[in-house]
């Protein structure tokens, strides 16, 4: 990892983007590798994931066993400084992947059944370790890494609203030997673009396996795969760097296939998008939360002002019904529905006969523009008074991923709705030098002088695509619209930053810094059923907030890097640090600076 971080640092310096471990101000930040050496940090187990459905990757044979079990660990620290305990998590995940052994008869009915508790059983650590996590039934496969290693603040990326880079790796471990393993279905664009024969063989593989790719159950041979990739945000779903197949192949490369027999891809463009979405960076930047699908929840050591409300991504939320249906079919001895949707698809009802009934796509759900949707066979429509609206398009990307949003000049506006559109000039060899240009405003035109007025806050304060904003009044502060049994209102009086927060960041006093975020402002309401839009996440309201009891299970959408735990930089450290640069002030600078 140290070599990867050093190489990335050198590449960015050569591209005019120097990076620093500990800093404030408008400069790039890079992960301080001392976090992986200090006794103050550890990897905390935040989730256990049943992936029995991964048995599909092996032709339903004993070769794949009964799928996988994944243990998700997230980097966290806790130490005392000036008499106070300072603690937080960091945007750094390891996933320890284990193969699950089959039943004695080679099937998986018994294995699947162990994941279903009986009526008199309590689901706790003892139940897990004595049942589905019994060590005798698991064998180590690999260790997967997804870690934020670089971040550019919004003061430097005034139109993007910030950028971040995530390192993705897979390691094999056998005793003391560690090996670099290929990333599943993720091509090595550099090698392929330099070797015409190799790229031709990959195209042949795609043509010969189009049906499996369409299904979402395929394994590209190792000779074509990368062993390291970097995924990029902001607007990760639109970025060319997260569409690795698109620069490699033209639509005409796959024009001769019979698309009438495919369920999802009806055109060559759709087939390439399916491949892009199946690559590691494609999946982790479309339907994800800040580049992750599993973040987990906070423990009691985390400041109430640094806690998240929802610990999974929109993609994982939508995936759970599919995996539950797969599990149920296996227990009952039926053939499961093997189709995998695109990672940005909404939740759906699943049947064994292959039909899929997507749930209504309402506010902030990703969507395909009509001219792109016709290229796909299984799609969904924006509902609930929303229309499919692209807020970021990128040069070189053929399929435009948009979001279900309110129409222009809608009277149903709410705080947090995007208000700006733009285009990205893609730099294929240096994605960190991609440039976003604001092209127009489509919402929040009011001057902000009445309760129904919304102003458009700019990305330079850390709010990608702009942010419709209205301050809180007394009714908002009392959470008047939140009542049990009633639909959740679209906005909630949450937390915003301010100059006090910014100054304490510069003093490196983590606890006082978070305690200084005392200002209030309206934000989109969110929950485990209602997710935030891309580049935002559901933050928990501090439990001692007056009236917070009305908001059980409800949080507010914040720009991702408002939360300290989603930033690799500017944390208090257990080691001595250099002097800080000056910090910017003004409304919302806390959202990034």
């Amino acid at each position: 990892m140290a070599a990867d971080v050093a190489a990335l640092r050198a590449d960015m310096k050569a591209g005019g983007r120097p990076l620093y471990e500990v800093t404030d101000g408008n400069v790039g930040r890079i992960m301080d590798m001392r976090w992986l050496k200090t006794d103050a940090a550890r990897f905390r187990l935040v989730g256990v994931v049943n992936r029995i459905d991964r048995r599909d990757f092996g032709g339903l044979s004993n070769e794949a066993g009964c799928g996988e079990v994944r243990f998700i660990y997230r980097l966290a620290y806790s130490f005392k400084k000036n008499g106070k305990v300072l603690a937080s998590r960091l945007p750094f995940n390891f996933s320890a992947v284990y193969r699950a052994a089959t039943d004695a008869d080679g099937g998986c009915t018994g294995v699947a059944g162990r994941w279903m508790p009986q009526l008199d059983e309590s689901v706790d650590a003892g139940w897990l370790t004595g049942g589905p996590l019994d060590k005798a039934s698991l064998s180590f496969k690999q260790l997967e890494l997804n870690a934020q290693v670089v971040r550019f603040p919004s003061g430097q990326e005034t139109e993007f609203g910030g950028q971040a880079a995530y390192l993705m790796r897979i390691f094999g471990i056998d005793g003391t030997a560690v090996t670099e393993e290929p990333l599943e279905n993720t091509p090595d664009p550099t090698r392929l673009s330099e070797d015409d024969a190799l790229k031709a063989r990959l195209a042949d593989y795609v043509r010969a396996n189009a049906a499996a790719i369409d299904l979402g159950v395929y394994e590209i041979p190792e000779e074509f795969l990368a062993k390291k990739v970097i995924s990029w945000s902001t607007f990760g779903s639109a970025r060319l760097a997260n569409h690795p197949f698109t620069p490699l192949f033209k639509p005409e490369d796959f024009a001769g296939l019979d698309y009438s027999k495919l369920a999802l891809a009806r055109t060559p463009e759709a087939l390439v998008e399916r491949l892009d979405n199946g690559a590691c960076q494609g999946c982790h930047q479309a339907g994800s939360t800040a580049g992750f699908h599993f973040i987990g929840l906070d423990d009691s050591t985390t400041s109430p002002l640094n806690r998240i409300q929802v610990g999974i991504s929109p993609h994982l939320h939508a995936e759970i019904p599919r995996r539950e249906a797969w599990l149920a079919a296996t227990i009952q001895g039926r053939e499961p529905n093997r189709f995998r949707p695109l990672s940005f698809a909404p939740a759906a009802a699943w049947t064994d006969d292959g039909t899929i009934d997507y749930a209504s796509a309402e506010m902030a759900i990703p969507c395909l523009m009509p001219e792109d949707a016709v290229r796909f066979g299984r799609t969904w429509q924006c509902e609930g008074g929303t229309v499919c609206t692209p807020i970021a398009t990128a040069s070189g990307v053929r399929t435009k991923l948009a979001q279900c949003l309110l129409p222009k000049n809608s009277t149903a506006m709410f705080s947090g709705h995007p208000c700006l559109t733009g285009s990205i000039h893609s730099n294929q060899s240096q994605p960190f030098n991609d440039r976003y240009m604001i092209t127009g405003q489509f919402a929040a035109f009011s001057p902000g002088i009445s309760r129904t007025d919304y102003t458009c806050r700019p990305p330079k304060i850390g709010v990608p695509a702009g942010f419709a904003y209205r301050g809180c009044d007394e009714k908002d502060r009392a959470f008047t619209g939140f009542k049990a049994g009633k639909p959740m209102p679209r906005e909630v009086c949450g937390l915003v930053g301010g100059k006090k927060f910014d100054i304490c960041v510069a003093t490196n006093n983590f606890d006082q810094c978070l305690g200084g975020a005392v200002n209030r402002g309206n934000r989109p309401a969110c929950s485990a059923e209602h997710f935030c839009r891309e580049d935002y996440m559901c933050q928990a309201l501090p439990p001692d907030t007056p009236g917070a009891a009305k908001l059980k299970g409800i949080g507010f959408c914040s720009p991702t890097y408002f939360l300290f735990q989603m930033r690799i930089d500017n944390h208090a450290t257990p080691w001595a640090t250099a002097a800080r640069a000056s910090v910017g002030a003004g409304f919302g600078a806390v959202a990034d600076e």
Side-chain angles (χ1 to χ4, degrees):
M1 273 204 62
D4 289 342
V5 170
L8 188 60
R9 185 177 206 162
D11 288 345
M12 291 193 180
K13 183 177 181 180
R17 307 297 298 270
L19 302 168
Y20 303 89
E21 277 89 352
V22 180
T23 184
D24 292 311
N26 298 328
V27 294
R29 297 97 186 265
I30 194 166
M31 180 181 177
D32 192 324
M33 294 300 292
R34 285 178 288 185
W35 282 118
L36 300 183
K37 299 178 181 179
T38 176
D39 290 338
R42 64 192 174 98
F43 283 99
R44 183 163 76 83
L45 181 66
V46 295
V48 179
V49 184
N50 170 15
R51 293 306 309 271
I52 191 172
D53 64 299
R54 292 277 302 171
R55 192 188 189 206
D56 282 348
F57 293 81
L60 293 178
S61 67
N62 288 348
E63 178 185 345
C66 289
E68 299 167 352
V69 176
R70 296 176 174 234
F71 297 83
I72 314 297
Y73 295 86
R74 197 159 179 90
L75 186 61
Y77 65 80
S78 178
F79 61 92
K80 283 189 175 182
K81 198 166 191 175
N82 299 324
K84 295 182 178 180
V85 175
L86 306 180
S88 179
R89 297 189 295 167
L90 294 167
F92 189 117
N93 276 19
F94 268 125
S95 177
V97 183
Y98 287 77
R99 296 184 183 89
T102 64
D103 299 333
D105 63 0
C108 293
T109 301
V111 172
R114 286 198 291 274
W115 283 97
M116 302 295 288
Q118 301 300 310
L119 293 177
D120 60 345
E121 292 180 322
S122 298
V123 178
D124 54 21
W127 177 84
L128 283 168
T129 55
L133 303 187
D134 181 2
K135 288 184 178 181
S137 65
L138 301 177
S139 59
F140 179 77
K141 179 182 178 182
Q142 60 197 26
L143 188 68
E144 299 177 353
L145 167 70
N146 184 17
Q148 184 190 116
V149 290
V150 170
R151 197 176 74 85
F152 294 110
S154 61
Q156 191 178 33
E157 299 281 0
T158 56
E159 296 207 338
F160 260 125
Q163 276 202 81
Y166 296 81
L167 173 65
M168 307 185 81
R169 281 276 205 178
I170 296 178
F171 300 102
I173 302 175
D174 185 3
T176 59
V178 178
T179 55
E180 300 173 7
E181 299 299 318
L183 297 167
E184 184 175 279
N185 294 334
T186 303
D188 186 330
T190 301
R191 284 194 302 113
L192 288 161
S193 61
E194 294 173 351
D195 189 333
D196 290 342
L198 186 67
K199 187 169 78 169
R201 291 201 299 275
L202 177 56
D204 289 341
Y205 168 85
V206 172
R207 285 187 283 266
N209 294 273
I213 293 168
D214 184 73
L215 187 66
V217 182
Y218 61 100
E219 294 178 273
I220 295 176
E222 183 174 338
E223 66 169 320
F224 307 114
L225 302 181
K227 291 186 176 180
K228 175 181 73 173
V229 296
I230 303 293
S231 77
W232 293 89
S233 70
T234 301
F235 304 122
S237 63
R239 302 285 286 271
L240 180 62
N242 300 327
H243 290 75
F245 286 90
T246 291
L248 290 172
F249 297 113
K250 300 181 179 66
E252 48 265 35
D253 291 330
F254 307 117
L257 300 176
D258 183 1
Y259 290 93
S260 67
K261 297 180 179 179
L262 303 186
L264 177 69
R266 296 295 172 83
T267 67
E269 291 87 351
L271 183 63
V272 174
E273 175 62 26
R274 172 59 133 175
L275 288 164
D276 280 339
N277 190 251
C280 290
Q281 64 269 55
C283 178
H284 277 267
Q285 289 293 346
S288 68
T289 296
F292 297 96
H293 290 306
F294 201 115
I295 299 170
L297 299 177
D298 298 294
D299 61 19
S300 61
T301 65
T302 302
S303 166
L305 299 173
N306 186 32
R307 294 180 187 173
I308 60 175
Q309 181 67 42
V310 179
I312 63 173
S313 71
H315 166 62
L316 182 51
H317 170 72
E319 264 279 276
I320 289 173
R322 184 191 68 78
R323 297 180 190 178
E324 289 177 336
W326 208 105
L327 184 68
T330 303
I331 291 173
Q332 296 165 17
R334 296 181 284 107
E335 179 77 9
N337 184 339
R338 302 178 69 203
F339 177 75
R340 263 76 172 167
L342 296 163
S343 71
F344 51 83
W350 290 83
T351 61
D352 296 344
D353 64 5
T355 59
I356 300 173
D357 182 16
Y358 283 114
S360 61
E362 299 185 353
M363 190 59 61
I365 296 292
C367 56
L368 292 165
M369 292 298 290
E371 62 269 27
D372 292 317
V374 297
R375 299 170 176 169
F376 293 83
R378 286 175 167 170
T379 57
W380 54 97
Q381 302 296 321
C382 291
E383 299 178 13
T386 64
V387 295
C388 194
T389 306
I391 58 176
T393 58
S395 61
V397 177
R398 302 185 191 101
T399 301
K400 292 185 287 294
L401 185 59
Q403 296 181 46
C404 297
L405 302 172
L406 294 175
K408 188 175 182 178
N409 295 322
S410 171
T411 58
M413 187 53 56
F414 61 93
S415 286
H417 190 282
C419 50
L420 301 172
T421 58
S423 61
I424 300 170
H425 175 72
S426 304
N427 188 321
Q428 187 173 338
S429 61
Q430 295 180 336
F432 50 87
N433 279 327
D434 283 1
R435 287 292 169 261
Y436 179 78
M437 182 177 68
I438 296 171
T439 56
Q441 181 176 342
F442 69 98
F445 293 100
S446 301
I449 58 175
S450 74
R451 193 177 193 277
T452 57
D453 281 349
Y454 291 86
T455 59
C456 181
R457 299 290 180 165
K460 66 182 180 181
I461 65 170
V463 289
F467 192 98
Y469 177 75
R470 177 179 67 82
C472 299
D473 61 19
E474 290 308 310
K475 289 184 177 180
D476 297 321
R477 290 176 180 273
F479 307 117
T480 302
F482 292 84
K483 297 179 180 179
K486 298 292 185 180
M488 183 180 73
R490 281 180 167 171
E491 62 183 14
V492 61
C493 186
L495 302 180
V496 299
K499 185 175 180 179
K500 184 177 179 181
F501 193 109
D502 294 341
I503 291 173
C504 67
V505 169
T507 63
N508 197 26
N509 193 323
F510 184 86
D511 185 60
Q512 289 184 12
C513 180
L514 291 173
V518 295
N519 295 333
R520 303 282 294 279
N522 276 304
R523 294 285 187 260
C526 53
S527 69
E529 298 295 327
H530 299 275
F531 284 78
C532 304
R533 62 179 165 110
E534 185 175 13
D535 298 313
Y536 292 75
M537 66 185 301
C538 197
Q539 183 174 356
L541 199 72
D544 60 353
T545 303
K550 296 181 180 180
L551 273 66
K552 186 176 181 180
I554 297 173
F556 60 98
C557 295
S558 287
T560 300
Y561 306 120
F562 176 92
L563 280 86
F564 260 60
Q565 65 169 284
M566 301 308 296
R567 302 156 52 160
I568 201 63
D569 59 282
N570 273 354
H571 290 262
T573 63
W575 54 83
T577 58
R580 298 281 183 122
S582 62
V583 65
F587 172 84
V590 62
D592 196 351
E593 297 304 321

